[in-house]
Amino acid sequence: MQIETIRHSLAHILAQAVQEINPKVKLGMGPAIENGFYYDFEMSFVPEDLARIEKKMKELIKQNITFQKKLISKSEAEKLFKEQPYKLELINELKGKITIYQGGKFVDLCKGPHVKSTKEINPESFRLNKIAGAYWKGSEKNQMLTRIYGLAFKDKKELNLCLQKEAEAEKRDHRTLGQKLGLFLFDEEVGAGLPIWKPKGTILRQIIRDYLHKELSSQGYQWVTSPHIGKLDLWKTSGHWNHYRENMYSPIQIDQEQYMLKPMNCPFSVKVYKSEIRSYKDLPIKYAELGTVYRYERSGVLHGLTRVRGFTQDDAHIICTPEQLSKEIENLLRFSFRILKTFGFKNYDIYLSTRPEKYAGSLKDWEKATNVLKYALQELKLKWQIDQGGGVFYGPKIDIKIKDSLGRPWQCTTIQTDFNLTERFDISYINEKGKKQKPFMIHRAILGSLERFIGVLLEHYAGSLPFWLSPEQIWVIPLGQKHEKYAKEIGKTLENSNFRTKVKDENETVSKKIREGEIQKIPYLLVVGDKEMKAKTVRIRERGKGDTGEIKINKFIEKIKK
Amino acid sequence: MQIETIRHSLAHILAQAVQEINPKVKLGMGPAIENGFYYDFEMSFVPEDLARIEKKMKELIKQNITFQKKLISKSEAEKLFKEQPYKLELINELKGKITIYQGGKFVDLCKGPHVKSTKEINPESFRLNKIAGAYWKGSEKNQMLTRIYGLAFKDKKELNLCLQKEAEAEKRDHRTLGQKLGLFLFDEEVGAGLPIWKPKGTILRQIIRDYLHKELSSQGYQWVTSPHIGKLDLWKTSGHWNHYRENMYSPIQIDQEQYMLKPMNCPFSVKVYKSEIRSYKDLPIKYAELGTVYRYERSGVLHGLTRVRGFTQDDAHIICTPEQLSKEIENLLRFSFRILKTFGFKNYDIYLSTRPEKYAGSLKDWEKATNVLKYALQELKLKWQIDQGGGVFYGPKIDIKIKDSLGRPWQCTTIQTDFNLTERFDISYINEKGKKQKPFMIHRAILGSLERFIGVLLEHYAGSLPFWLSPEQIWVIPLGQKHEKYAKEIGKTLENSNFRTKVKDENETVSKKIREGEIQKIPYLLVVGDKEMKAKTVRIRERGKGDTGEIKINKFIEKIKK
């Protein structure tokens, strides 16, 4: 028996169980999904309901209910489901005979397939695990229903493995960690998908910003700064209005003009390029910007920091001669891997995304650029896959998905060729022969966005960020009031060595401070009392290791400077 | 004779002169203004036209034309001005008898007063100096006319003094300097009042950002980061929708909600404050943000960087106990003066701005906060003036206008009390008695905005930014190709000492490079040839001083490190 069929049948049994509890419940849809199934109901539930429903499902399964497929006419179906408005809506959209499945007293509109009898289902190998809101047919314009999710596997062992994995992922959930570590917040009144960064989160952003600044400057990047809105005309010229409108927000009216929140930074970099006459000797020109862009995402798909409506890209635009393109792509790939490794990511899935249905430019340009990307991947002897039709409207791209410590892939780096903007904004350089020539343009982001990348970092490290990324690196905890002065001296010494240090001199117990430091995943907690004061030492509690002994402060600084 | 009357009569003579050149010209309005007069015409001019018109005006003046006031009926006026649609529009708005002035063959709709005869005008004491576009009645909805400006004074000496001042101000015009120094650009297609910062401008912003970061962090400020849009609901809660709407842009529709571009950063800082329970022991809490805000300005008042539609405030919000308020205001004043002095501003006009017509909060709160501000100003023994009704809707404020090297005042620092947001967002802290209490809130910006402040810096220094603020501090210029290697070594040495250095090894003449360096106001140009290479020295050309001799590179580094 296919596990998908069992999952699908469990969805029916779930609906049947809920209907037995509340015969008037209005039913939505209930398919099999990865790892399990769900069913949507017009009814509210509390988490405690799940156990009760699960129990009812097990009873039903033990009744060895058989599933019977029937073909009925549309009018019969309408009569059968007259109390079920969502089913009626679906029936209305169908043509010809209607397939239904009957299992015991329960009938559902369904194409199947199903198990023959609930005998085939192991009642110990499924678990109802989640309640969530879901719009009917996934559209915000429709009624919000309640979705009950279940996990289902062929046996209990597989189920437990999945439950373990989910528990691990939950511990690593960056949304929970973000709150616990005091990094960021979301606020209903501000709006969904719009994170506000608290002081510690802002420090983390600044550490990443400063690191990127150093790395990129050493690679000859120049930084630019652009506004968050631009005239609709600009986006018409750039092609975004034509090809990217569904990701853009509604216009803002200023005097007689319409302005758009920027979904991308590119047109502004183009304007900087165009503000001077460029020679082949100036190329490649690399403009970098930590640009905050705004893109529409349906509220249903928003997820913590990894799917937001406003985010700061580590964006760059490289403008080069046709001859330089291939080399630049190779450099970029190498550079990206180096940056990602610094953050601790060493496993990747690499994709070459080709022409989408909606595209700008000529087929010849697409082919040429795709070949350049392929060539670079081959030169670097990388393993990669084709993502057919996954390119952006303006050109093919290479995407790097980084794999976190649970093996989950996350889209981060993207290297995109563009022969659309250079054309549309008519940008040029003076070549060796003194003639105007069209350059090539590369868009690229290495981390992708600060938001998504920080989300991934938190999940990858389960919140225990590497020392260099920790917003607070060291807490100094005095054992008693008389050790506060010494604790402050230690704090000062550490700060002078540029370590982000906090002296915990609040009126709390030492054990409470240590516990708090552990929750906040501070890399080093230094406890100081009489003994340490006398010996000019500190007692180290290292994150994940506990007490690692007493040490002279200068030795400690040497140790952490490594 | 009042100079305003002479200026007004000159406006008429200007119109008459233009009409004699082009009898069909459509006339707008022509008042006296500060330092002179203008007249609007539906006609295009080139700068060369001004001399011709000026000559014609002088001829008219010498004819000793007398100005005669007449009262005529509306219908007579309509007949008289039947070829002048703008005049007809004005006549249509008037009631009762219409006043006209006749001077020679020229008649204008005008209330006067005028000189009796052009005999009273010194033909050597005026000058036509500018052509600009101007909407009829100042509204973007109307026809764009051409405005001719003139300067006029009682004698030639005063005129020349003004011309000198204007020339000096023009040399210091940050819009011209910004382009010359390659700092920023404005682009028609992007939109008015929305600067794009080029690489050198972005470096300048980063220098200021990093300086502020260091200074503010040492004062216990914490940094936060907030989005550029927020739900309309947020702005309703904050009171901006009620009291500040005319400065806000039109809403953006996202799903079922309306969102606004932020005109201020405050509500987001409030959300960060509210995300945790705060104790009196935590206060004062100081949240800083370089937050980019968007505010409506009419297109007519936009001016380079000093009047824009999107700008980055060096914003902060200080939340403190009522007891701390006075001390915090004093600290802020002292801190602001220190920061401003570092940038080279030592003269100020200080204003205490009181309750405006449109305000939130109780009269008692306003009085209390105004007294706290007064007290702080007195404690610091500062000279200050009252700006009656100049406060923001949420509380009184202290404004510091810095004076530039030409003595012109520029609004920069603002320290604003707020008892509105604390109330509206219901924020609190736990006081010594374990009870909830309402804190006080201060909004403050020291530079005001990066845009305006950089504009002022450029005008103050006429582009010759202090060494520490110069995006490019040193150029190393090799005399010939064989000195390039040595130039690069010098460049490397300087970069290793953290000086922003450029080695000018382009294929250009040395004199062209030096000229270019002077135009770009580079603080030090180091020229190296055979002699310098051999002696391990550099030849210095210091900005504003010329050649200041040969020096060992380490001596040079010592010198500039001071």
Side-chain angles (χ1 to χ4, degrees):
Chain A
M1 182 54 54
Q2 289 278 349
I3 183 67
E4 281 71 31
T5 310
I6 291 178
R7 285 171 180 157
H8 191 180
S9 298
L10 276 162
H12 272 232
I13 293 164
L14 164 58
Q16 184 171 359
V18 170
Q19 207 178 39
E20 293 203 358
I21 291 165
N22 173 8
K24 294 201 163 167
V25 66
K26 304 281 178 275
L27 303 172
M29 284 188 270
I33 55 171
E34 200 190 347
N35 294 339
F37 58 93
Y38 71 73
Y39 212 106
D40 292 342
F41 304 95
E42 193 186 305
M43 175 177 170
S44 2
F45 298 94
V46 292
E48 291 69 34
D49 292 334
L50 294 187
R52 197 158 58 109
I53 300 169
E54 207 174 285
K55 197 172 154 227
K56 177 68 88 184
M57 285 173 75
K58 285 185 183 168
E59 286 167 18
L60 290 169
I61 290 168
K62 283 177 189 157
Q63 288 171 21
N64 295 342
I65 294 168
T66 54
F67 281 85
Q68 279 185 294
K69 184 175 175 177
K70 286 183 192 170
L71 279 170
I72 60 175
S73 72
K74 208 161 172 173
S75 62
E76 279 176 294
E78 279 166 359
K79 212 169 140 195
L80 193 60
F81 291 103
K82 66 178 189 293
E83 309 286 348
Q84 294 291 346
Y86 300 106
K87 300 292 177 188
L88 288 175
E89 192 180 327
L90 295 176
I91 289 164
N92 193 32
E93 290 161 6
L94 291 171
K95 278 182 184 144
K97 287 275 182 188
I98 311 282
T99 320
I100 59 165
Y101 268 85
Q102 173 119 30
K105 288 176 224 160
F106 181 74
V107 189
D108 205 352
L109 191 72
C110 174
K111 275 200 187 139
H114 279 286
V115 295
K116 281 197 186 116
S117 155
T118 55
K119 246 193 262 184
E120 296 171 50
I121 302 172
N122 176 353
E124 298 308 316
S125 71
F126 83 95
R127 173 79 56 88
L128 299 186
N129 69 325
K130 213 167 53 183
I131 301 172
Y135 292 104
W136 167 241
K137 288 181 171 172
S139 164
E140 292 84 356
K141 290 177 190 149
N142 294 335
Q143 173 75 22
M144 169 76 90
L145 304 176
T146 308
R147 178 169 295 175
I148 295 181
Y149 285 94
L151 298 171
F153 292 90
K154 69 175 204 294
D155 55 33
K156 197 172 174 176
K157 202 176 137 198
E158 270 192 24
L159 172 65
N160 283 340
L161 214 68
C162 178
L163 285 169
Q164 258 170 38
K165 255 192 168 173
E166 294 236 323
E168 183 57 33
E170 204 176 302
K171 261 200 296 186
R172 291 168 179 268
D173 188 323
H174 73 275
R175 297 168 301 178
T176 321
L177 285 168
Q179 190 166 18
K180 224 189 253 174
L181 307 185
L183 299 177
F184 56 87
L185 62 100
F186 287 94
D187 184 276
E188 179 53 35
E189 207 177 19
V190 168
L194 297 171
I196 302 174
W197 293 86
K198 296 175 70 167
K200 283 173 70 179
T202 300
I203 293 174
L204 179 51
R205 287 171 69 100
Q206 287 165 348
I207 296 166
I208 297 174
R209 175 195 76 193
D210 292 346
Y211 165 72
L212 287 178
H213 192 277
K214 202 177 115 249
E215 287 293 331
L216 267 66
S217 299
S218 80
Q219 297 286 316
Y221 284 81
Q222 305 179 72
W223 295 81
V224 297
T225 311
S226 64
H228 301 93
I229 56 172
K231 271 192 197 168
L232 178 53
D233 287 349
L234 181 75
W235 306 106
K236 282 183 177 163
T237 303
S238 70
H240 286 84
W241 185 244
N242 243 334
H243 298 282
Y244 203 70
R245 195 185 309 186
E246 61 273 26
N247 303 302
M248 294 170 76
Y249 291 107
S250 68
I252 299 161
Q253 188 75 27
I254 306 183
D255 295 340
Q256 262 58 260
E257 299 281 354
Q258 294 196 303
Y259 284 72
M260 309 298 292
L261 268 176
K262 68 172 169 185
M264 293 193 193
N265 302 301
C266 5
F268 303 99
S269 281
V270 168
K271 291 291 180 183
V272 174
Y273 180 88
K274 279 195 79 166
S275 71
E276 292 174 32
I277 293 167
R278 311 291 177 177
S279 144
Y280 70 96
K281 286 181 269 180
D282 303 325
L283 302 188
I285 285 181
K286 307 176 185 180
Y287 293 130
E289 178 170 20
L290 285 176
T292 306
V293 298
Y294 291 85
R295 294 184 192 167
Y296 180 65
E297 295 278 1
R298 286 186 302 114
S299 68
V301 302
L302 295 175
H303 182 88
L305 293 177
T306 51
R307 203 79 178 262
V308 288
R309 284 179 169 165
F311 53 92
T312 303
Q313 293 183 296
D314 65 317
D315 208 357
H317 296 91
I318 297 166
I319 299 158
C320 62
T321 68
E323 298 75 37
Q324 291 167 335
L325 182 63
S326 169
K327 191 90 203 142
E328 285 303 319
I329 299 280
E330 279 179 44
N331 285 346
L332 265 176
L333 281 167
R334 274 196 206 92
F335 186 54
S336 301
F337 290 126
R338 187 155 71 75
I339 300 283
L340 294 174
K341 276 203 183 91
T342 310
F343 285 98
F345 297 103
K346 282 159 195 157
N347 298 306
Y348 319 102
D349 286 336
I350 303 171
Y351 295 87
L352 171 62
S353 304
T354 58
R355 185 164 49 80
E357 269 182 49
K358 225 174 161 184
Y359 68 96
S362 73
L363 285 177
K364 209 181 115 205
D365 276 341
W366 275 89
E367 200 190 325
K368 192 174 157 192
T370 309
N371 284 337
V372 169
L373 295 184
K374 265 188 199 162
Y375 180 78
L377 289 166
Q378 279 155 4
E379 280 295 293
L380 266 69
K381 299 188 171 50
L382 293 165
K383 273 192 193 160
W384 49 279
Q385 304 162 53
I386 291 273
D387 174 11
Q388 204 70 46
V392 203
F393 72 87
Y394 45 66
K397 61 173 179 168
I398 293 171
D399 280 343
I400 303 176
K401 294 191 183 177
I402 57 179
K403 287 203 182 159
D404 72 9
S405 48
L406 294 188
R408 297 170 299 178
W410 301 92
Q411 168 59 42
C412 287
T413 308
T414 187
I415 298 170
Q416 315 180 337
T417 54
D418 184 336
F419 27 80
N420 173 57
L421 283 186
T422 49
E423 187 76 48
R424 285 174 165 271
F425 283 103
D426 186 27
I427 73 175
S428 63
Y429 66 98
I430 307 299
N431 68 16
E432 290 89 332
K433 291 169 189 156
K435 289 256 161 62
K436 263 191 175 188
Q437 189 166 340
K438 199 175 75 168
F440 263 82
M441 189 164 169
I442 306 167
H443 307 241
R444 73 109 190 98
I446 296 178
L447 309 184
S449 78
L450 293 188
E451 286 71 16
R452 157 174 285 261
F453 194 74
I454 289 174
V456 176
L457 274 175
L458 289 173
E459 304 232 348
H460 180 61
Y461 288 110
S464 294
L465 293 172
F467 184 69
W468 73 284
L469 286 170
S470 295
E472 290 175 3
Q473 297 175 309
I474 305 162
W475 279 7
V476 189
I477 303 174
L479 269 181
Q481 227 175 337
K482 58 176 172 168
H483 312 112
E484 276 179 18
K485 192 170 156 257
Y486 179 61
K488 279 179 186 162
E489 278 171 34
I490 295 289
K492 200 81 214 148
T493 308
L494 290 166
E495 266 175 19
N496 289 344
S497 294
N498 292 319
F499 295 110
R500 294 178 291 276
T501 312
K502 204 166 168 181
V503 178
K504 297 295 284 181
D505 56 358
E506 302 95 332
N507 189 16
E508 300 279 5
T509 65
V510 171
S511 62
K512 197 178 166 191
K513 289 176 188 172
I514 290 177
R515 207 162 52 243
E516 182 58 26
E518 283 169 352
I519 288 170
Q520 290 201 28
K521 314 216 184 232
I522 308 301
Y524 293 100
L525 307 177
L526 306 183
V527 184
V528 294
D530 281 339
K531 191 159 161 251
E532 289 77 18
M533 217 162 93
K534 210 168 167 186
K536 297 275 169 209
T537 57
V538 294
R539 185 138 209 112
I540 310 177
R541 283 188 74 91
E542 199 172 334
R543 186 178 59 193
K545 290 186 184 168
D547 190 329
T548 57
E550 202 182 322
I551 191 170
K552 292 264 181 204
I553 183 66
N554 56 341
K555 286 281 170 200
F556 174 69
I557 290 176
E558 266 175 44
K559 172 186 154 82
I560 56 178
K561 267 200 175 155
K562 270 173 201 162
Chain B
M1 182 54 54
Q2 288 279 348
I3 183 68
E4 281 71 31
T5 309
I6 292 178
R7 285 171 181 159
H8 190 180
S9 298
L10 277 163
H12 272 232
I13 293 164
L14 165 58
Q16 184 171 359
V18 171
Q19 208 177 38
E20 293 203 359
I21 292 166
N22 173 10
K24 293 203 163 165
V25 65
K26 303 282 178 276
L27 304 171
M29 286 188 269
I33 54 170
E34 198 190 346
N35 293 340
F37 58 92
Y38 70 74
Y39 212 106
D40 292 341
F41 304 95
E42 193 186 304
M43 174 177 172
S44 0
F45 300 93
V46 292
E48 291 70 35
D49 292 333
L50 294 186
R52 195 157 60 108
I53 300 168
E54 208 176 282
K55 197 171 154 230
K56 178 67 89 185
M57 285 173 74
K58 286 185 181 164
E59 287 167 21
L60 289 170
I61 290 170
K62 283 177 188 154
Q63 289 170 21
N64 295 343
I65 294 169
T66 53
F67 281 85
Q68 279 185 295
K69 184 175 176 176
K70 287 183 190 167
L71 278 170
I72 59 175
S73 71
K74 209 161 171 170
S75 61
E76 278 176 294
E78 279 167 358
K79 213 170 141 192
L80 193 59
F81 292 103
K82 65 177 190 294
E83 308 285 348
Q84 293 290 345
Y86 299 106
K87 301 291 178 190
L88 287 175
E89 193 181 325
L90 295 175
I91 290 163
N92 194 31
E93 289 160 8
L94 291 171
K95 280 186 181 136
K97 288 274 182 188
I98 310 283
T99 320
I100 59 166
Y101 267 87
Q102 173 118 30
K105 289 178 221 155
F106 182 73
V107 189
D108 205 353
L109 190 71
C110 174
K111 276 201 184 136
H114 278 287
V115 295
K116 281 196 188 117
S117 155
T118 54
K119 245 195 260 184
E120 296 170 51
I121 301 172
N122 176 352
E124 299 307 317
S125 72
F126 83 95
R127 174 79 56 86
L128 297 185
N129 68 327
K130 213 165 56 182
I131 301 171
Y135 292 105
W136 168 242
K137 290 181 171 173
S139 165
E140 293 84 356
K141 289 175 192 153
N142 294 335
Q143 172 76 21
M144 170 76 90
L145 305 176
T146 308
R147 177 169 295 175
I148 295 182
Y149 285 94
L151 297 171
F153 292 90
K154 67 176 205 297
D155 56 32
K156 198 174 173 174
K157 202 176 136 201
E158 268 191 26
L159 173 67
N160 284 340
L161 214 68
C162 178
L163 285 169
Q164 257 170 39
K165 255 192 167 173
E166 293 234 328
E168 183 57 34
E170 203 175 303
K171 261 200 295 185
R172 291 169 180 267
D173 189 324
H174 74 274
R175 296 168 301 178
T176 321
L177 285 168
Q179 190 167 18
K180 223 189 255 173
L181 307 185
L183 298 178
F184 56 86
L185 63 101
F186 287 94
D187 185 274
E188 179 54 35
E189 207 177 19
V190 168
L194 298 171
I196 302 174
W197 293 85
K198 296 175 71 166
K200 282 173 71 179
T202 300
I203 293 174
L204 179 51
R205 287 172 69 100
Q206 286 166 347
I207 296 166
I208 297 175
R209 175 195 77 192
D210 292 346
Y211 165 71
L212 288 179
H213 193 275
K214 202 177 115 251
E215 287 293 332
L216 267 66
S217 298
S218 81
Q219 297 285 316
Y221 283 81
Q222 304 178 73
W223 294 81
V224 296
T225 311
S226 65
H228 302 92
I229 55 172
K231 271 192 197 169
L232 178 53
D233 288 348
L234 181 75
W235 307 104
K236 282 184 178 165
T237 303
S238 70
H240 286 85
W241 185 243
N242 243 333
H243 298 283
Y244 203 71
R245 197 185 310 187
E246 61 271 28
N247 302 303
M248 294 169 77
Y249 292 108
S250 68
I252 300 161
Q253 188 76 27
I254 306 182
D255 295 339
Q256 263 57 259
E257 300 279 353
Q258 294 196 303
Y259 285 71
M260 309 298 292
L261 268 177
K262 67 173 171 185
M264 293 194 192
N265 303 299
C266 5
F268 302 99
S269 280
V270 168
K271 291 290 181 184
V272 174
Y273 180 88
K274 280 195 77 166
S275 71
E276 291 175 33
I277 294 166
R278 310 293 178 176
S279 145
Y280 69 97
K281 286 180 270 180
D282 303 327
L283 302 188
I285 285 180
K286 307 176 185 179
Y287 292 130
E289 178 169 20
L290 285 176
T292 307
V293 297
Y294 291 85
R295 295 184 192 167
Y296 179 67
E297 297 276 3
R298 285 186 303 113
S299 68
V301 302
L302 295 175
H303 182 88
L305 292 179
T306 53
R307 202 79 176 262
V308 287
R309 284 179 169 164
F311 53 91
T312 303
Q313 294 183 295
D314 65 318
D315 207 358
H317 296 91
I318 297 167
I319 299 158
C320 63
T321 68
E323 298 75 37
Q324 291 168 335
L325 182 63
S326 170
K327 192 86 204 147
E328 284 303 318
I329 299 280
E330 280 179 41
N331 285 346
L332 266 175
L333 281 168
R334 274 196 205 93
F335 186 53
S336 301
F337 290 127
R338 186 155 73 75
I339 300 284
L340 294 174
K341 274 200 185 96
T342 310
F343 285 98
F345 297 103
K346 283 159 194 157
N347 298 306
Y348 318 101
D349 286 336
I350 303 172
Y351 294 87
L352 171 61
S353 305
T354 59
R355 186 165 49 79
E357 268 182 50
K358 224 174 161 185
Y359 68 96
S362 73
L363 284 176
K364 210 182 112 203
D365 276 341
W366 275 89
E367 200 190 326
K368 192 174 156 192
T370 308
N371 284 337
V372 169
L373 295 184
K374 266 188 198 161
Y375 179 80
L377 289 166
Q378 279 155 3
E379 279 295 292
L380 266 69
K381 299 188 169 50
L382 294 164
K383 273 193 194 162
W384 50 279
Q385 305 164 52
I386 290 275
D387 175 11
Q388 204 70 48
V392 202
F393 73 86
Y394 44 67
K397 61 172 179 170
I398 293 171
D399 279 345
I400 303 175
K401 293 192 183 179
I402 57 179
K403 286 203 183 160
D404 73 8
S405 49
L406 294 188
R408 298 170 299 179
W410 300 92
Q411 169 59 42
C412 286
T413 308
T414 187
I415 299 170
Q416 316 181 336
T417 55
D418 184 337
F419 27 79
N420 173 57
L421 282 186
T422 50
E423 187 76 46
R424 286 175 164 271
F425 282 102
D426 187 27
I427 72 174
S428 63
Y429 67 96
I430 307 298
N431 68 15
E432 290 89 333
K433 292 171 190 155
K435 290 254 161 63
K436 264 191 173 186
Q437 190 166 340
K438 202 176 73 168
F440 264 83
M441 190 164 167
I442 306 166
H443 306 242
R444 73 109 190 96
I446 296 177
L447 310 184
S449 78
L450 293 187
E451 286 71 16
R452 156 174 285 262
F453 195 75
I454 289 174
V456 175
L457 274 175
L458 289 173
E459 304 233 348
H460 180 63
Y461 288 110
S464 293
L465 292 173
F467 185 68
W468 73 284
L469 286 171
S470 295
E472 289 175 3
Q473 298 176 307
I474 304 161
W475 279 7
V476 188
I477 303 174
L479 269 181
Q481 225 174 342
K482 58 177 171 166
H483 313 112
E484 276 178 19
K485 194 171 153 256
Y486 179 61
K488 280 180 188 163
E489 278 170 35
I490 294 290
K492 201 79 214 148
T493 308
L494 289 166
E495 265 176 19
N496 289 343
S497 294
N498 292 318
F499 295 111
R500 294 178 291 275
T501 312
K502 205 166 168 180
V503 177
K504 298 293 286 180
D505 56 357
E506 302 95 331
N507 189 16
E508 301 279 5
T509 65
V510 171
S511 63
K512 194 174 169 196
K513 288 176 189 172
I514 289 176
R515 205 160 56 242
E516 182 57 25
E518 282 168 352
I519 289 170
Q520 290 200 28
K521 315 218 182 233
I522 308 301
Y524 294 101
L525 307 178
L526 307 183
V527 184
V528 294
D530 281 339
K531 189 155 164 256
E532 289 77 18
M533 215 163 92
K534 212 170 168 187
K536 297 277 168 208
T537 57
V538 294
R539 185 139 209 112
I540 309 177
R541 283 189 75 92
E542 200 173 332
R543 185 179 60 193
K545 292 187 184 167
D547 190 328
T548 56
E550 202 183 324
I551 190 171
K552 291 265 179 201
I553 183 67
N554 54 340
K555 287 279 170 204
F556 175 69
I557 290 176
E558 266 173 44
K559 171 186 154 85
I560 56 177
K561 268 200 174 153
K562 270 174 199 160

